[in-house]
Amino acid sequence: MKAERAPAEAEAIACAIRALLDARADGASVCPSEVARALWPHGWRARIDDVRTVARALTARGELRVTQRGVPLDAAQPWRGPIRIGRAARGEFDRRL
């Protein structure tokens, strides 16, 4: 994301994540590529890192739960490989992160 567009794009990504999750059953998750495809049908692969960056920020705020093979990931640690983005369960957010 370019610096001058970052806040608007970050909000668009966050809204797309929320909308995709709202359209799914409770406890369901989405892949970052689904979010990128929804926003940028052409060239979505180049935007995966932008989606992951926003997912990390929302995870750190306690809004989302990002998992890898079903295991929650720490927003403060590096993420490698495939992830899933879901809503955080109430009371799940650990303020120590």
Side-chain angles (χ1 to χ4, degrees), residues 21-43:
L21 289 172
D22 286 347
R24 306 228 170 147
D26 288 342
S29 62
V30 297
C31 179
S33 66
E34 294 174 75
V35 179
R37 283 183 184 117
L39 293 169
W40 303 283
H42 305 286

Side-chain angles (χ1 to χ4, degrees), residues 43-79:
W44 60 269
R45 282 184 179 93
R47 305 310 293 265
I48 295 289
D49 286 340
D50 295 337
V51 174
R52 289 172 70 106
T53 297
V54 172
R56 180 183 297 279
L58 295 175
T59 298
R61 289 190 351 212
E63 184 176 336
L64 296 180
R65 178 180 195 229
V66 173
T67 60
Q68 188 169 58
R69 295 185 202 123
V71 177
L73 298 178
D74 183 338
Q77 297 298 317
W79 296 349

